[in-house]
Amino acid sequence: MVRCPGCSKRFKSEQSVTCHLSQPRHSCLGWTNDLARLSDALDIPAPPEAPPEYDTFDRDYEMEVDGDIEEFPGAGEVYADEIDVRRTEYFDGAAEVVGLGQSFLDVFDQDEYTEERKDNLYYPFATKQEWKFSSFLLRSGMSMAGIDELLDLELMRKVPLSFRTAKELRARCEMLPSGPRWSCRPVTTSHLTKSPVRLFYRDPVECLEALFSNPTFHDKMDFSPRRVYEMSARLVRVYDEWMTGDAAWNFQSSIPHGATVVGTVLSSDKTTISTMTGDRVAHPLLISLANIHMSTRTKLSSKAFLLTALLPVAKFLHPTKRMRGVLQDRLVHQCLNIVLKPLKIAAAIGIMMSDPIASIKADPLDIEAYFLECKPYRLNGVSEPFWADWPLAEPTIFFTPEPLHHWHREFWDHDAKWCIIAVGHAEIDFRFSVLQPVTGYRHFKDGISKLKQVTGRTHRDIQRYIIGVIAGGAPQKLIIAVRAMMDFRYLAQAPSISENDCQRILAALQEFHDHKQSIIDAGARRGAKNKTIDNFYIPKLELLQSVVPSIRQVGSIVQWSADITEHAHITEIKDPARASNNNNYDPQIVRYLDREEKRRRFDLATSLKETLCTREGPPADRVDDNEDGVNDDEDEADEEQEVSVDVSHGGPRSVTNYFIRANRLLQTTHKSPPTPPRSFIAYSTAINLTHDPNIRRILVDDVADKFCLPDFRGALADYLQREQRLKGGLHGIGGPRQALGPCALPFDYVQVWFKVRLQEMSYYDRHLVLPAQTVNASPPNSEQEHGRFDTVLVHTDANYEWPKSGLNGHTVVQLRVIFHPLSLRREHRHSWEDDALAYVERFDVVPQPDGSQVDHATQMHVLKRALRSNGLPMGDIIPLKQLRSHVHVIPRFGRVADSRLKSTNVMKYSSTFYLNRYFSKELYYALSNSY
């Protein structure tokens, strides 16, 4: 197999790679262009040219191969069966290259200090070390007084610095090459305000150019609209990136041949600056490029959203409160007209547009009369919306559904309230409180009915459990209605959506409408003062009708979630405000951001220049002697980490890549790896154990007593007999116990771990590594009277593989012990001596009365504990490498939950469970798509 040097996709031959690179509109073409530009500086040979016979290919189509991941030992040949071949049709004549433009470094070298940086790359700082120290101070958040105090220390006086005060440091920062510059202008309003209105803004075209030329987005942008189909027959469309939607294709059809469609993403929402007291509010306007791949645009570390304006939040003196709100809305559109005028000009060149048609007769200057005219049309009274004279700007297209506020907020405002009323406040709180906690996820120990100031993250945390919690406690049709809405949300949040998926989304929405009357019949729809409501006049519910049409126009909806821009309020507004003197915020915020942007651009440019000027390669990959010597539950500092934002969770997290760790450990030759391996790969799952076991040495019979497993010794004997026959094959779980009575074992002691980490790849993007999930198997103690044993999915049939096969070929089990035998010293070693093992107890799927495998109302599998003839749970020992994924189960509470249940005993005393497919979207897609 040969890899593409641009995107790392695998091909059968070098000629296939050449053809792939020669695609005229493929992102890898940018890689070859950049390589050609750098070849003189680095003596890199130019990439091979396409063979002459390539001109006979159909240039309007490309066979795009998706589904690969980084090649890890033992997994490559298995993944070859999963390659998903799609047919892609590109828009002919789009995004033509008309010449060599200015690169990021070209722009960087155009300021007045370019000559000084030829001798000193880090000018106006004396050395690289001084710049690194200065960069740290600039981003540390320290006040000027704090920096002055630091620089005035006796130790710091001995350091040869070219600046001695914070003021001098900031003065040098102002000399760094600048990005888009800030402007300030007064804004005239039709009505008096408490203070003058000032608008701080940057040219949005310059901001887009800065994003467009940013080298960190190299190979992470689309330039040509495309239509993607599941198969070469082109029957089923697939929508993911913005460029795969109909809107981008239609825009391209409306502009001159060879032009490039640039999608502008604007996000604006007010945010509070002051903490605890005061009413200081900022109204940021963020801008980004829809051309940037969603996986990159939705990462905080990518800085794909730039602050382009601080819209004024004026206090109008109008006597009517509602009219003050109308005037503020008008002011927002007035300022947007000012800020976005350059974008309108850019969009209008060469395009003729007709005037908009007016439909309201009242005088816009008479705001009260005008507002009354607007009210029947559900309009807010803005007479001149900012998009009115923007070519190709159609509100029905660019106002996309927004998951955070439209779906998750709708869930909390309505669905969750219906469930609380239908089940009862005390009952639903009790059910949430007794669920067994899951490491890394919120546990609602006090329930949910009394939650206040609930965030989007909390909305999603409640969604994980709500269907299983209300099952049996609410009317069946109400459960179906709420579950259908949950299906709608989970399906619509997929990063890649086919036309078949669109039909499933529509079907889920229709199922809700078919059963929504049950909510009113149960008296669960109530308003203010607990008054029953007999209608579904819910604007957010009505907006759901536009989701599928919007997917077809602009691609996957999850990429337009406000999670990333809401978090940007912290980095773009709140952090700069904290560094101010708490007076006159706006100018101080923009100065802070200007310095920060200069610092980042200078860091990037000097790093690029330093790379071009030296031919020293990076140090060879190595594994430190103590790489595995970690006992902590947190992510290890010595691992390669990727800071990302999961838009379904709304927050940044550092993802330790255990696939890379396992790969490195296998390549280590300077020392003997520990036995069993602490990090290894089992098909699509990376499995990690801490270097030191929780119990280094314990007798087999003591394990049986400590973990309450009376047949542990017999299970070990059965495992050893099976292993002699299977020779490393898959072990089943169940069947009669072969070894009876006191069994002789070739070892007396084992070492035991209380937890294991499982890491998987994203269901839709096999290049995306998900955060590792900690799975517990800890014995009873003072806090956990019955121990803490999580549930996992185990691979039992070689004809199926997770996640594409779903539950087929897999078994849900409770993980009871993780251990490794400490064998006696001898020359011959057995295969089981190199593996970590696990004792697991099996759950069986309960067939439903209608013959299906899932419960009709919840659409979840019903599980029961498998028992032996003596009434003990059916447990067996398997290699740890058969584990595939953490799964979550919820007890079947029935009409009323047993009051004796607690979070520490619920798994012990419950016999039937729901396999909770809503616990994560990855689990949902795997279980749903395998039906």
Side-chain angles (χ1 to χ4, degrees), residues 474-636:
Q476 187 178 44
K477 289 187 176 181
L478 185 147
I479 296 172
I480 294 175
V482 175
R483 188 264 306 156
M485 285 293 290
M486 199 67 66
D487 286 334
F488 176 92
R489 294 185 195 93
Y490 275 58
L491 290 169
Q493 289 181 81
S496 179
I497 300 176
S498 69
E499 190 59 44
N500 292 335
D501 295 327
C502 289
Q503 298 305 316
R504 293 172 64 190
I505 294 171
L506 292 173
L509 187 59
Q510 184 59 48
E511 187 176 19
F512 165 77
H513 287 297
D514 292 342
H515 293 85
K516 65 183 180 184
Q517 183 60 36
S518 63
I519 300 170
I520 295 177
D521 294 342
R525 173 134 165 77
R526 300 181 187 177
K529 299 181 180 180
N530 208 28
K531 183 178 180 181
T532 302
I533 302 175
D534 62 355
N535 62 69
F536 280 93
Y537 298 155
I538 302 173
K540 286 185 174 67
L541 191 60
E542 185 178 355
L543 284 173
L544 300 184
Q545 308 293 334
S546 66
V547 169
V548 168
S550 187
I551 289 171
R552 290 167 176 155
Q553 289 288 339
V554 298
S556 174
I557 298 299
V558 72
Q559 65 183 309
W560 313 119
S561 176
D563 289 272
I564 183 68
T565 54
E566 288 285 328
H567 193 276
H569 289 169
I570 299 175
T571 57
E572 305 298 305
I573 301 297
K574 296 180 185 293
D575 288 346
R578 293 189 188 103
S580 70
N581 61 4
N582 294 320
N583 289 303
N584 203 11
Y585 281 107
D586 287 2
Q588 295 190 67
I589 288 174
V590 298
R591 280 198 294 268
Y592 178 99
L593 293 176
D594 190 52
R595 287 193 301 270
E596 178 63 15
E597 186 169 17
K598 288 179 177 179
R599 185 197 63 77
R600 285 200 308 267
R601 290 169 63 89
F602 193 77
D603 245 344
L604 177 59
T606 51
S607 297
L608 290 173
K609 284 179 172 289
E610 194 174 56
T611 302
L612 292 173
C613 293
T614 179
R615 301 191 181 186
E616 295 179 4
D621 287 344
R622 60 183 178 87
V623 179
D624 294 336
D625 291 341
N626 294 326
E627 183 174 16
D628 270 335
V630 278
N631 301 313
D632 196 89
D633 289 341
E634 302 298 327
D635 290 337
E636 291 77 359

Side-chain angles (χ1 to χ4, degrees), residues 255-331:
I255 62 178
H257 180 87
T260 302
V261 173
V262 176
T264 304
V265 183
L266 296 173
S267 177
S268 181
D269 194 10
K270 291 181 182 178
T271 183
T272 304
I273 298 177
S274 52
T275 305
M276 302 297 291
T277 59
D279 60 348
R280 304 295 180 88
V281 177
H283 196 167
L285 175 66
L286 299 165
I287 192 169
S288 186
L289 276 172
N291 304 62
I292 301 173
H293 295 168
M294 75 171 88
S295 60
T296 300
R297 192 171 65 250
T298 54
K299 285 182 182 177
L300 284 178
S301 57
S302 296
K303 294 290 182 181
F305 280 87
L306 299 180
L307 183 68
T308 194
L310 279 173
L311 304 178
V313 181
K315 294 185 178 180
F316 286 90
L317 301 178
H318 197 283
T320 305
K321 182 178 179 180
R322 182 66 186 87
M323 293 305 104
R324 292 199 292 269
V326 173
L327 290 170
Q328 177 61 34
D329 290 341
R330 290 190 176 190
L331 176 61

Side-chain angles (χ1 to χ4, degrees), residues 5 18 21 28-29 31-37 39 44-50:
T18 301
L21 289 173
C28 293
L29 181 64
W31 176 87
T32 58
N33 291 338
D34 291 348
L35 191 60
R37 295 189 62 189
S39 60
I44 300 175
E49 297 180 356

